Amino acid sequence: MIAVLGLLVGAAVGLLLEPTVPSVLQPYLPIAVVAALDALFGGLRALLDGTFNDRVFLVSFLSNVVVAALIVFLGDQLGVGTQLSTAVVVVLGIRIFSNAAAIRRHLFRA
Amino acid sequence: MTPDHRKDAPSPHGPPTPTVASSWRTVARALRPRLSRAQLTAGVLSALLGFALVVQVQANRDVGLAGLRQDELVRILDEVTQRSDELEREAADLRRERSELVTGSDTQRAAQEAAEERAVVQGILAGTLPAEGPGIELTLTEPQGKIPAHVLYNVLEELRNAGAEAIQLNDVRVTASTYVIETEDGVEVDGRVLEAPYRWRVIGDPGTLTTALDIPGGALASVRNASGRTNVTTPDLVEVEAIKEARVPEHATPVPPESTD
């Protein structure tokens, strides 16, 4: 409940403040968001598996975000930033899909 | 989080498989607001995610070229440059084509005008076009006795010598191929028998024409000798409206122009 509320509150704050993304963060924010989404779905799956642990969730959330940003940063330095962001998005997308599938099996047996 | 123990399939190894009902129960339990550390952590992280999501979506909505990477900008610049080069080339081609067309149509129009002018000149000379202009009208009457053909031919020759450009005798157009012969019925001109009075309509310089006709012992004198009467007037505008069908040459063809190189 608090998680859902937190999501809504965060979105409302973002809408109200309308902050501009610092140009340093601009290439990394979308990847970080996708990584966080992945962590969120992973946490939901763990909850349904009965193995949810808040510490694990916290660490996986932050490390996902940081690692994703790091990979993109590294790619930018190597001159393959675009390709590497695509790769990261593809991998995270696959993970999100598999997590969503697991959650679906838990909740609907289908 | 104790799973429901009415399991669908008992599994001796690994965690017990939760049923649908227990899964929903888990979700319901998680949704119940409780101030536990896990809930707080999830809430804070979710708030972070929601915030970042909205910010990114909004930044993406009004992003122009500013949010692009350097290599993407370079690629776009390359594309734009290339495209503008292509368009430039195409515009140059079209301009050249247009100027060619304009020149071509000018040349064609000049050629057509020249051809039309030539057609008019030759139409007047060949008698296929009606003509008008300054000139004289000459009427020959024969109150007593006939005017013989050779006298009429004499008049015609005199008119030609005086520079007549278009001649009509009664309703016959007189051209280079016109003949005048004596027949039993009368004077025949180009296959038509003509009767007096003979009315000549002549386009040319009126002064030259009248002077030429009036020479002592000349054309008009010979008409008078043949007991004919002559009457010359110089109206402002002489109209030669009789025309002659042009015959297409059967044997003669134009000499091909010599190449000038």
Side-chain angles (χ1 to χ4, degrees):
Chain A
M1 190 63 179
I2 293 189
V4 177
L5 275 182
L7 201 63
L8 292 178
V9 167
V13 169
L15 278 175
L16 287 180
L17 294 185
E18 288 191 17
T20 40
V21 187
S23 61
V24 188
L25 284 181
Q26 259 176 9
Y28 311 120
L29 188 58
I31 301 295
V33 167
V34 176
L37 269 179
D38 172 48
L40 194 66
F41 274 88
L44 198 52
R45 183 189 179 175
L47 178 74
L48 290 168
D49 280 344
T51 59
F52 183 80
N53 181 309
D54 57 338
R55 265 191 41 171
V56 174
F57 182 52
L58 177 67
V59 171
S60 79
F61 188 100
L62 294 181
S63 72
N64 254 11
V65 168
V66 170
V67 168
L70 204 64
I71 290 176
V72 175
F73 170 75
L74 200 62
D76 268 346
Q77 300 308 308
L78 293 174
V80 289
T82 322
Q83 293 92 321
L84 215 49
S85 340
T86 312
V88 168
V89 168
V90 167
V91 169
L92 291 176
I94 291 172
R95 282 174 51 110
I96 290 174
F97 265 103
S98 66
N99 279 338
I103 292 165
R104 193 192 63 222
R105 270 196 293 279
H106 271 298
L107 293 184
F108 305 111
R109 278 286 177 274
Chain B
M1 296 192 188
T2 41
D4 196 317
H5 284 291
R6 290 180 296 112
K7 286 183 287 244
D8 296 330
S11 55
H13 309 292
T17 328
T19 61
V20 176
S22 72
S23 292
W24 280 110
R25 229 167 294 144
T26 311
V27 172
R29 204 166 35 243
L31 282 180
R32 214 168 300 144
R34 273 176 309 146
L35 259 174
S36 71
R37 200 157 58 100
Q39 293 264 356
L40 273 183
T41 314
V44 170
L45 290 182
S46 296
L48 212 61
L49 172 61
F51 177 73
L53 199 65
V54 167
V55 167
Q56 172 59 24
V57 166
Q58 282 189 335
N60 202 38
R61 193 172 300 152
D62 48 29
V63 77
L65 292 172
L68 293 179
R69 290 164 207 284
Q70 192 179 353
D71 50 349
E72 283 172 342
L73 288 174
V74 169
R75 188 172 47 75
I76 289 174
L77 187 61
D78 273 353
E79 280 174 5
V80 169
T81 314
Q82 199 177 341
R83 180 94 184 107
S84 92
D85 278 355
E86 278 172 16
L87 289 175
E88 202 80 50
R89 243 195 322 276
E90 198 177 326
D93 282 350
L94 289 174
R95 263 197 294 274
R96 191 165 48 244
E97 197 173 328
R98 180 183 172 276
S99 70
E100 275 171 13
L101 286 174
V102 167
T103 321
S105 70
D106 274 358
T107 315
Q108 210 173 353
R109 193 163 48 235
Q112 191 178 353
E113 278 170 8
E116 277 168 7
E117 201 175 330
R118 222 166 25 241
V120 166
V121 170
Q122 289 175 357
I124 291 173
L125 289 179
T128 55
L129 286 178
E132 63 177 24
I136 62 166
E137 284 191 10
L138 166 62
T139 312
L140 306 180
T141 49
E142 38 188 24
Q144 33 184 302
K146 296 267 182 191
I147 299 177
H150 69 89
V151 174
L152 288 177
Y153 191 70
N154 217 5
V155 174
L156 173 58
E157 286 299 290
E158 198 66 71
L159 291 171
R160 281 175 175 159
N161 284 343
E165 289 168 357
I167 304 171
Q168 178 177 347
L169 173 54
N170 287 10
D171 51 358
V172 177
R173 181 71 172 263
V174 178
T175 64
S177 62
T178 300
Y179 59 86
V180 184
I181 56 171
E182 194 79 62
T183 63
E184 290 177 3
D185 301 327
V187 176
E188 183 183 316
V189 178
D190 278 357
R192 309 247 301 261
V193 176
L194 300 186
E195 307 228 328
Y198 304 107
R199 293 187 62 237
W200 300 79
R201 272 178 271 176
V202 185
I203 295 177
D205 180 31
T208 314
L209 289 170
T210 40
T211 315
L213 290 173
D214 277 336
I215 310 172
L220 293 190
S222 61
V223 171
R224 283 191 284 270
N225 284 345
S227 70
R229 294 276 165 77
T230 64
N231 178 29
V232 178
T233 57
T234 56
D236 288 337
L237 189 70
V238 178
E239 288 184 7
V240 174
E241 70 263 16
I243 59 169
K244 189 176 187 177
E245 290 297 317
R247 246 180 50 218
V248 177
E250 192 178 334
H251 305 288
T253 53
V255 176
E258 283 184 23
S259 55
T260 50
D261 53 13

PDB file of all heavy atoms in Angstrom, chain B residues 23-51:
ATOM      1  N   SER B  23      -1.568 -16.510  -3.140  1.00  0.00           N
ATOM      2  CA  SER B  23      -0.868 -15.404  -3.801  1.00  0.00           C
ATOM      3  C   SER B  23      -1.651 -14.121  -3.656  1.00  0.00           C
ATOM      4  O   SER B  23      -1.111 -13.059  -3.327  1.00  0.00           O
ATOM      5  CB  SER B  23      -0.681 -15.729  -5.284  1.00  0.00           C
ATOM      6  OG  SER B  23       0.228 -16.785  -5.426  1.00  0.00           O
ATOM      7  N   TRP B  24      -2.984 -14.211  -3.897  1.00  0.00           N
ATOM      8  CA  TRP B  24      -3.821 -13.020  -3.757  1.00  0.00           C
ATOM      9  C   TRP B  24      -3.803 -12.540  -2.314  1.00  0.00           C
ATOM     10  O   TRP B  24      -3.786 -11.338  -2.057  1.00  0.00           O
ATOM     11  CB  TRP B  24      -5.252 -13.322  -4.198  1.00  0.00           C
ATOM     12  CG  TRP B  24      -5.399 -13.287  -5.696  1.00  0.00           C
ATOM     13  CD1 TRP B  24      -5.610 -14.355  -6.504  1.00  0.00           C
ATOM     14  CD2 TRP B  24      -5.310 -12.144  -6.530  1.00  0.00           C
ATOM     15  NE1 TRP B  24      -5.658 -13.970  -7.806  1.00  0.00           N
ATOM     16  CE2 TRP B  24      -5.478 -12.586  -7.863  1.00  0.00           C
ATOM     17  CE3 TRP B  24      -5.086 -10.785  -6.298  1.00  0.00           C
ATOM     18  CZ2 TRP B  24      -5.441 -11.735  -8.943  1.00  0.00           C
ATOM     19  CZ3 TRP B  24      -5.066  -9.942  -7.382  1.00  0.00           C
ATOM     20  CH2 TRP B  24      -5.234 -10.404  -8.693  1.00  0.00           C
ATOM     21  N   ARG B  25      -3.784 -13.511  -1.409  1.00  0.00           N
ATOM     22  CA  ARG B  25      -3.742 -13.122  -0.001  1.00  0.00           C
ATOM     23  C   ARG B  25      -2.441 -12.371   0.299  1.00  0.00           C
ATOM     24  O   ARG B  25      -2.425 -11.389   1.029  1.00  0.00           O
ATOM     25  CB  ARG B  25      -3.871 -14.359   0.896  1.00  0.00           C
ATOM     26  CG  ARG B  25      -4.933 -14.162   1.986  1.00  0.00           C
ATOM     27  CD  ARG B  25      -5.253 -15.476   2.638  1.00  0.00           C
ATOM     28  NE  ARG B  25      -5.895 -16.408   1.711  1.00  0.00           N
ATOM     29  CZ  ARG B  25      -5.694 -17.728   1.715  1.00  0.00           C
ATOM     30  NH1 ARG B  25      -4.852 -18.262   2.590  1.00  0.00           N
ATOM     31  NH2 ARG B  25      -6.330 -18.498   0.868  1.00  0.00           N
ATOM     32  N   THR B  26      -1.366 -12.864  -0.279  1.00  0.00           N
ATOM     33  CA  THR B  26      -0.081 -12.176  -0.100  1.00  0.00           C
ATOM     34  C   THR B  26      -0.154 -10.736  -0.581  1.00  0.00           C
ATOM     35  O   THR B  26       0.285  -9.804   0.095  1.00  0.00           O
ATOM     36  CB  THR B  26       1.015 -12.919  -0.879  1.00  0.00           C
ATOM     37  OG1 THR B  26       0.946 -14.298  -0.565  1.00  0.00           O
ATOM     38  CG2 THR B  26       2.373 -12.352  -0.533  1.00  0.00           C
ATOM     39  N   VAL B  27      -0.752 -10.573  -1.754  1.00  0.00           N
ATOM     40  CA  VAL B  27      -0.875  -9.219  -2.306  1.00  0.00           C
ATOM     41  C   VAL B  27      -1.718  -8.358  -1.381  1.00  0.00           C
ATOM     42  O   VAL B  27      -1.363  -7.201  -1.072  1.00  0.00           O
ATOM     43  CB  VAL B  27      -1.503  -9.282  -3.715  1.00  0.00           C
ATOM     44  CG1 VAL B  27      -1.813  -7.868  -4.223  1.00  0.00           C
ATOM     45  CG2 VAL B  27      -0.564  -9.982  -4.665  1.00  0.00           C
ATOM     46  N   ALA B  28      -2.842  -8.906  -0.916  1.00  0.00           N
ATOM     47  CA  ALA B  28      -3.733  -8.139  -0.052  1.00  0.00           C
ATOM     48  C   ALA B  28      -3.005  -7.745   1.231  1.00  0.00           C
ATOM     49  O   ALA B  28      -3.124  -6.595   1.690  1.00  0.00           O
ATOM     50  CB  ALA B  28      -4.972  -8.974   0.283  1.00  0.00           C
ATOM     51  N   ARG B  29      -2.236  -8.676   1.733  1.00  0.00           N
ATOM     52  CA  ARG B  29      -1.496  -8.368   2.956  1.00  0.00           C
ATOM     53  C   ARG B  29      -0.484  -7.247   2.694  1.00  0.00           C
ATOM     54  O   ARG B  29      -0.324  -6.339   3.504  1.00  0.00           O
ATOM     55  CB  ARG B  29      -0.794  -9.633   3.462  1.00  0.00           C
ATOM     56  CG  ARG B  29      -0.508  -9.562   4.937  1.00  0.00           C
ATOM     57  CD  ARG B  29      -0.140 -10.894   5.551  1.00  0.00           C
ATOM     58  NE  ARG B  29       0.616 -11.770   4.691  1.00  0.00           N
ATOM     59  CZ  ARG B  29       0.171 -12.957   4.267  1.00  0.00           C
ATOM     60  NH1 ARG B  29      -1.012 -13.393   4.634  1.00  0.00           N
ATOM     61  NH2 ARG B  29       0.915 -13.718   3.508  1.00  0.00           N
ATOM     62  N   ALA B  30       0.146  -7.334   1.569  1.00  0.00           N
ATOM     63  CA  ALA B  30       1.159  -6.315   1.245  1.00  0.00           C
ATOM     64  C   ALA B  30       0.499  -4.955   1.038  1.00  0.00           C
ATOM     65  O   ALA B  30       1.098  -3.924   1.304  1.00  0.00           O
ATOM     66  CB  ALA B  30       1.926  -6.711  -0.011  1.00  0.00           C
ATOM     67  N   LEU B  31      -0.750  -4.982   0.572  1.00  0.00           N
ATOM     68  CA  LEU B  31      -1.426  -3.718   0.305  1.00  0.00           C
ATOM     69  C   LEU B  31      -1.941  -3.084   1.586  1.00  0.00           C
ATOM     70  O   LEU B  31      -2.265  -1.903   1.609  1.00  0.00           O
ATOM     71  CB  LEU B  31      -2.586  -3.932  -0.675  1.00  0.00           C
ATOM     72  CG  LEU B  31      -2.187  -4.064  -2.137  1.00  0.00           C
ATOM     73  CD1 LEU B  31      -3.406  -4.277  -3.016  1.00  0.00           C
ATOM     74  CD2 LEU B  31      -1.434  -2.805  -2.594  1.00  0.00           C
ATOM     75  N   ARG B  32      -2.066  -3.882   2.619  1.00  0.00           N
ATOM     76  CA  ARG B  32      -2.574  -3.319   3.867  1.00  0.00           C
ATOM     77  C   ARG B  32      -1.535  -2.348   4.432  1.00  0.00           C
ATOM     78  O   ARG B  32      -0.353  -2.694   4.518  1.00  0.00           O
ATOM     79  CB  ARG B  32      -2.837  -4.449   4.889  1.00  0.00           C
ATOM     80  CG  ARG B  32      -4.029  -4.178   5.793  1.00  0.00           C
ATOM     81  CD  ARG B  32      -4.387  -5.443   6.547  1.00  0.00           C
ATOM     82  NE  ARG B  32      -4.734  -6.549   5.651  1.00  0.00           N
ATOM     83  CZ  ARG B  32      -4.433  -7.830   5.898  1.00  0.00           C
ATOM     84  NH1 ARG B  32      -3.775  -8.161   6.990  1.00  0.00           N
ATOM     85  NH2 ARG B  32      -4.793  -8.776   5.048  1.00  0.00           N
ATOM     86  N   PRO B  33      -1.933  -1.105   4.754  1.00  0.00           N
ATOM     87  CA  PRO B  33      -0.931  -0.145   5.224  1.00  0.00           C
ATOM     88  C   PRO B  33      -0.430  -0.528   6.612  1.00  0.00           C
ATOM     89  O   PRO B  33      -1.195  -0.578   7.580  1.00  0.00           O
ATOM     90  CB  PRO B  33      -1.691   1.188   5.228  1.00  0.00           C
ATOM     91  CG  PRO B  33      -3.121   0.803   5.324  1.00  0.00           C
ATOM     92  CD  PRO B  33      -3.276  -0.528   4.659  1.00  0.00           C
ATOM     93  N   ARG B  34       0.851  -0.829   6.666  1.00  0.00           N
ATOM     94  CA  ARG B  34       1.484  -1.133   7.948  1.00  0.00           C
ATOM     95  C   ARG B  34       2.809  -0.415   7.966  1.00  0.00           C
ATOM     96  O   ARG B  34       3.452  -0.272   6.918  1.00  0.00           O
ATOM     97  CB  ARG B  34       1.705  -2.632   8.109  1.00  0.00           C
ATOM     98  CG  ARG B  34       0.526  -3.373   8.701  1.00  0.00           C
ATOM     99  CD  ARG B  34       0.857  -4.837   8.716  1.00  0.00           C
ATOM    100  NE  ARG B  34       1.322  -5.258   7.402  1.00  0.00           N
ATOM    101  CZ  ARG B  34       2.241  -6.186   7.205  1.00  0.00           C
ATOM    102  NH1 ARG B  34       2.806  -6.776   8.219  1.00  0.00           N
ATOM    103  NH2 ARG B  34       2.617  -6.517   5.982  1.00  0.00           N
ATOM    104  N   LEU B  35       3.186   0.064   9.071  1.00  0.00           N
ATOM    105  CA  LEU B  35       4.445   0.795   9.135  1.00  0.00           C
ATOM    106  C   LEU B  35       5.580  -0.155   9.443  1.00  0.00           C
ATOM    107  O   LEU B  35       6.130  -0.164  10.540  1.00  0.00           O
ATOM    108  CB  LEU B  35       4.352   1.898  10.187  1.00  0.00           C
ATOM    109  CG  LEU B  35       4.112   3.285   9.572  1.00  0.00           C
ATOM    110  CD1 LEU B  35       3.884   4.327  10.651  1.00  0.00           C
ATOM    111  CD2 LEU B  35       5.278   3.672   8.698  1.00  0.00           C
ATOM    112  N   SER B  36       5.883  -0.980   8.496  1.00  0.00           N
ATOM    113  CA  SER B  36       7.036  -1.852   8.687  1.00  0.00           C
ATOM    114  C   SER B  36       8.202  -1.288   7.887  1.00  0.00           C
ATOM    115  O   SER B  36       8.035  -0.416   7.025  1.00  0.00           O
ATOM    116  CB  SER B  36       6.707  -3.269   8.210  1.00  0.00           C
ATOM    117  OG  SER B  36       6.622  -3.279   6.813  1.00  0.00           O
ATOM    118  N   ARG B  37       9.380  -1.795   8.154  1.00  0.00           N
ATOM    119  CA  ARG B  37      10.560  -1.293   7.471  1.00  0.00           C
ATOM    120  C   ARG B  37      10.482  -1.614   5.975  1.00  0.00           C
ATOM    121  O   ARG B  37      10.820  -0.802   5.118  1.00  0.00           O
ATOM    122  CB  ARG B  37      11.807  -1.951   8.092  1.00  0.00           C
ATOM    123  CG  ARG B  37      13.086  -1.195   7.839  1.00  0.00           C
ATOM    124  CD  ARG B  37      14.109  -1.563   8.909  1.00  0.00           C
ATOM    125  NE  ARG B  37      14.351  -3.004   8.893  1.00  0.00           N
ATOM    126  CZ  ARG B  37      15.417  -3.540   8.300  1.00  0.00           C
ATOM    127  NH1 ARG B  37      16.314  -2.787   7.725  1.00  0.00           N
ATOM    128  NH2 ARG B  37      15.597  -4.846   8.304  1.00  0.00           N
ATOM    129  N   ALA B  38       9.990  -2.843   5.696  1.00  0.00           N
ATOM    130  CA  ALA B  38       9.893  -3.255   4.297  1.00  0.00           C
ATOM    131  C   ALA B  38       8.958  -2.333   3.519  1.00  0.00           C
ATOM    132  O   ALA B  38       9.284  -1.861   2.427  1.00  0.00           O
ATOM    133  CB  ALA B  38       9.386  -4.695   4.217  1.00  0.00           C
ATOM    134  N   GLN B  39       7.807  -2.022   4.155  1.00  0.00           N
ATOM    135  CA  GLN B  39       6.837  -1.168   3.464  1.00  0.00           C
ATOM    136  C   GLN B  39       7.428   0.215   3.215  1.00  0.00           C
ATOM    137  O   GLN B  39       7.251   0.810   2.153  1.00  0.00           O
ATOM    138  CB  GLN B  39       5.571  -1.056   4.321  1.00  0.00           C
ATOM    139  CG  GLN B  39       4.802  -2.344   4.447  1.00  0.00           C
ATOM    140  CD  GLN B  39       3.673  -2.396   3.436  1.00  0.00           C
ATOM    141  OE1 GLN B  39       3.447  -1.448   2.721  1.00  0.00           O
ATOM    142  NE2 GLN B  39       2.982  -3.537   3.379  1.00  0.00           N
ATOM    143  N   LEU B  40       8.121   0.736   4.227  1.00  0.00           N
ATOM    144  CA  LEU B  40       8.698   2.069   4.090  1.00  0.00           C
ATOM    145  C   LEU B  40       9.733   2.094   2.963  1.00  0.00           C
ATOM    146  O   LEU B  40       9.749   2.998   2.132  1.00  0.00           O
ATOM    147  CB  LEU B  40       9.350   2.484   5.412  1.00  0.00           C
ATOM    148  CG  LEU B  40       8.383   3.165   6.394  1.00  0.00           C
ATOM    149  CD1 LEU B  40       9.142   3.614   7.638  1.00  0.00           C
ATOM    150  CD2 LEU B  40       7.724   4.361   5.717  1.00  0.00           C
ATOM    151  N   THR B  41      10.582   1.077   2.963  1.00  0.00           N
ATOM    152  CA  THR B  41      11.607   1.015   1.928  1.00  0.00           C
ATOM    153  C   THR B  41      10.963   0.991   0.555  1.00  0.00           C
ATOM    154  O   THR B  41      11.321   1.773  -0.347  1.00  0.00           O
ATOM    155  CB  THR B  41      12.456  -0.255   2.099  1.00  0.00           C
ATOM    156  OG1 THR B  41      12.793  -0.379   3.469  1.00  0.00           O
ATOM    157  CG2 THR B  41      13.696  -0.181   1.245  1.00  0.00           C
ATOM    158  N   ALA B  42       9.990   0.085   0.405  1.00  0.00           N
ATOM    159  CA  ALA B  42       9.319  -0.038  -0.893  1.00  0.00           C
ATOM    160  C   ALA B  42       8.662   1.277  -1.263  1.00  0.00           C
ATOM    161  O   ALA B  42       8.725   1.730  -2.422  1.00  0.00           O
ATOM    162  CB  ALA B  42       8.283  -1.166  -0.841  1.00  0.00           C
ATOM    163  N   GLY B  43       8.042   1.923  -0.251  1.00  0.00           N
ATOM    164  CA  GLY B  43       7.359   3.185  -0.536  1.00  0.00           C
ATOM    165  C   GLY B  43       8.327   4.252  -1.022  1.00  0.00           C
ATOM    166  O   GLY B  43       8.089   4.933  -2.012  1.00  0.00           O
ATOM    167  N   VAL B  44       9.437   4.382  -0.331  1.00  0.00           N
ATOM    168  CA  VAL B  44      10.408   5.419  -0.702  1.00  0.00           C
ATOM    169  C   VAL B  44      10.967   5.151  -2.101  1.00  0.00           C
ATOM    170  O   VAL B  44      11.046   6.056  -2.945  1.00  0.00           O
ATOM    171  CB  VAL B  44      11.546   5.473   0.345  1.00  0.00           C
ATOM    172  CG1 VAL B  44      12.668   6.364  -0.174  1.00  0.00           C
ATOM    173  CG2 VAL B  44      11.019   6.009   1.661  1.00  0.00           C
ATOM    174  N   LEU B  45      11.323   3.913  -2.330  1.00  0.00           N
ATOM    175  CA  LEU B  45      11.903   3.586  -3.637  1.00  0.00           C
ATOM    176  C   LEU B  45      10.872   3.782  -4.748  1.00  0.00           C
ATOM    177  O   LEU B  45      11.197   4.275  -5.832  1.00  0.00           O
ATOM    178  CB  LEU B  45      12.417   2.144  -3.637  1.00  0.00           C
ATOM    179  CG  LEU B  45      13.651   1.930  -2.756  1.00  0.00           C
ATOM    180  CD1 LEU B  45      14.122   0.497  -2.847  1.00  0.00           C
ATOM    181  CD2 LEU B  45      14.782   2.868  -3.162  1.00  0.00           C
ATOM    182  N   SER B  46       9.619   3.410  -4.468  1.00  0.00           N
ATOM    183  CA  SER B  46       8.569   3.597  -5.478  1.00  0.00           C
ATOM    184  C   SER B  46       8.360   5.069  -5.759  1.00  0.00           C
ATOM    185  O   SER B  46       8.166   5.489  -6.911  1.00  0.00           O
ATOM    186  CB  SER B  46       7.263   2.977  -5.006  1.00  0.00           C
ATOM    187  OG  SER B  46       7.444   1.585  -4.879  1.00  0.00           O
ATOM    188  N   ALA B  47       8.403   5.879  -4.688  1.00  0.00           N
ATOM    189  CA  ALA B  47       8.257   7.324  -4.880  1.00  0.00           C
ATOM    190  C   ALA B  47       9.372   7.841  -5.778  1.00  0.00           C
ATOM    191  O   ALA B  47       9.155   8.638  -6.702  1.00  0.00           O
ATOM    192  CB  ALA B  47       8.287   8.027  -3.529  1.00  0.00           C
ATOM    193  N   LEU B  48      10.563   7.356  -5.518  1.00  0.00           N
ATOM    194  CA  LEU B  48      11.719   7.744  -6.336  1.00  0.00           C
ATOM    195  C   LEU B  48      11.480   7.385  -7.799  1.00  0.00           C
ATOM    196  O   LEU B  48      11.693   8.197  -8.705  1.00  0.00           O
ATOM    197  CB  LEU B  48      12.955   7.021  -5.796  1.00  0.00           C
ATOM    198  CG  LEU B  48      14.294   7.746  -5.918  1.00  0.00           C
ATOM    199  CD1 LEU B  48      14.242   9.061  -5.152  1.00  0.00           C
ATOM    200  CD2 LEU B  48      15.410   6.857  -5.379  1.00  0.00           C
ATOM    201  N   LEU B  49      11.010   6.162  -7.989  1.00  0.00           N
ATOM    202  CA  LEU B  49      10.769   5.691  -9.362  1.00  0.00           C
ATOM    203  C   LEU B  49       9.689   6.523 -10.049  1.00  0.00           C
ATOM    204  O   LEU B  49       9.849   6.951 -11.193  1.00  0.00           O
ATOM    205  CB  LEU B  49      10.355   4.215  -9.316  1.00  0.00           C
ATOM    206  CG  LEU B  49       9.896   3.641 -10.659  1.00  0.00           C
ATOM    207  CD1 LEU B  49      11.014   3.724 -11.679  1.00  0.00           C
ATOM    208  CD2 LEU B  49       9.440   2.203 -10.486  1.00  0.00           C
ATOM    209  N   GLY B  50       8.603   6.767  -9.299  1.00  0.00           N
ATOM    210  CA  GLY B  50       7.523   7.552  -9.904  1.00  0.00           C
ATOM    211  C   GLY B  50       8.007   8.933 -10.273  1.00  0.00           C
ATOM    212  O   GLY B  50       7.725   9.438 -11.376  1.00  0.00           O
ATOM    213  N   PHE B  51       8.757   9.527  -9.386  1.00  0.00           N
ATOM    214  CA  PHE B  51       9.286  10.862  -9.644  1.00  0.00           C
ATOM    215  C   PHE B  51      10.161  10.857 -10.910  1.00  0.00           C
ATOM    216  O   PHE B  51       9.966  11.644 -11.834  1.00  0.00           O
ATOM    217  CB  PHE B  51      10.095  11.307  -8.420  1.00  0.00           C
ATOM    218  CG  PHE B  51      10.749  12.638  -8.585  1.00  0.00           C
ATOM    219  CD1 PHE B  51       9.990  13.801  -8.563  1.00  0.00           C
ATOM    220  CD2 PHE B  51      12.119  12.741  -8.753  1.00  0.00           C
ATOM    221  CE1 PHE B  51      10.595  15.032  -8.704  1.00  0.00           C
ATOM    222  CE2 PHE B  51      12.728  13.977  -8.904  1.00  0.00           C
ATOM    223  CZ  PHE B  51      11.970  15.123  -8.868  1.00  0.00           C
TER     224      PHE B  51
END
